Amino acid sequence: MAKKKILGIPGSVRTQSINQAILQNIADLYADKLDLKICSDLSQLPHFNPDLGDDNLAESVAKFRQEVSDADGVIICTPEYVFSPPAILKNALEWTVSTTVFSEKPVALIVASGLGEKTYESLTLILHTLGARLPPSSKLLIQGARAKFKAAGDQQTIEELKRTMASFIQSIENLH
Ligand SMILES: Cc1cc2nc3c(=O)[nH]c(=O)nc-3n(C[C@H](O)[C@H](O)[C@H](O)COP(=O)(O)O)c2cc1C
């Protein structure tokens, strides 16, 4: 079977980001099944402004929308900042609201943070509002992420990550 085209969206642009590392681990672990491309720097997108309609759309926004649209599935992997999704991630999602790029799109949501609960809830609501396919089994909240991903990674978390990925892959296969 052809590899599934997956877009990984990290909510952190930090050089040593745990969330970027998790996406990279998923890419390595599922290299035989998934062609996972980690999204280019979300901080390049302009601030969302509904006045900037399709006639004045920045190239970076058009590219981001196309990447989401072209993907068989999307993995969002993000920390929490002040009990909210990071602004760059929220901004990117705002740019998709007037489109259907997330409609019926299989999505996996991973929040790896110190706490992360509010962001997990908030992104669940946002993604459902965008029409994404996000079954509960395709979501994972990794609290105390920094400690859990020290050295080789916490075994229980790795098992949870694998279960989340199995659900995500299933949800893509159900569509085809
Ligand atoms: C400004 C700022 C605010 C933060 N607020 C929260 C928060 O509200 N909840 C939480 O769980 N972690 C919070 N953190 C901790 C980050 O989520 C944590 O450092 C995480 O590992 C960052 O993800 P990354 O390693 O992928 O960059 C905050 C960090 C910063 C820098």
Side-chain angles (χ1 to χ4, degrees), residues 10-21 77-84 111-117 119 143-146:
S12 170
V13 292
R14 207 166 63 86
T15 323
Q16 300 291 321
S17 165
I18 294 168
N19 285 276
Q20 287 191 39
C77 191
T78 183
E80 173 171 86
Y81 288 151
V82 278
F83 300 104
S84 310
V111 176
S113 204
L115 302 167
E117 215 171 333
T119 293
Q143 294 186 306
R146 204 176 283 247

Side-chain angles (χ1 to χ4, degrees), residues 10 20-21 23 32-33 47 98 107 125 143 162-163 169:
Q20 287 191 39
L23 281 174
D32 57 331
K33 279 194 175 144
H47 289 159
S98 65
V107 172
L125 178 60
Q143 294 186 306
K162 284 183 180 166
R163 274 200 294 275
I169 292 168

Side-chain angles (χ1 to χ4, degrees), residues 157-175:
T157 308
I158 290 168
E159 291 308 318
E160 286 169 359
L161 200 55
K162 284 183 180 166
R163 274 200 294 275
T164 308
M165 285 303 296
S167 164
F168 171 62
I169 292 168
Q170 187 63 56
S171 132
I172 294 173
E173 284 172 354
N174 288 347
L175 272 185

Side-chain angles (χ1 to χ4, degrees), residues 51-150:
D51 283 347
L52 301 177
D54 289 344
D55 294 343
N56 300 303
L57 206 61
E59 207 177 298
S60 55
V61 174
K63 182 167 172 265
F64 175 69
R65 286 177 174 176
Q66 197 61 50
E67 284 175 334
V68 175
S69 176
D70 288 348
D72 293 310
V74 172
I75 306 174
I76 293 178
C77 191
T78 183
E80 173 171 86
Y81 288 151
V82 278
F83 300 104
S84 310
I88 51 153
L89 175 61
K90 175 77 172 2
N91 184 54
L93 294 175
E94 282 172 11
W95 277 114
T96 70
V97 170
S98 65
T99 75
T100 55
V101 292
F102 269 104
S103 179
E104 297 299 326
K105 185 72 65 185
V107 172
L109 171 63
I110 301 165
V111 176
S113 204
L115 302 167
E117 215 171 333
K118 298 285 178 202
T119 293
Y120 186 75
E121 284 168 14
S122 170
L123 284 173
T124 298
L125 178 60
I126 291 170
L127 288 163
H128 282 148
T129 304
L130 293 174
R133 276 178 187 247
L134 181 65
S137 49
S138 292
K139 299 192 295 176
L140 181 62
L141 173 60
I142 305 172
Q143 294 186 306
R146 204 176 283 247
K148 286 178 180 164
F149 282 94
K150 264 194 185 152

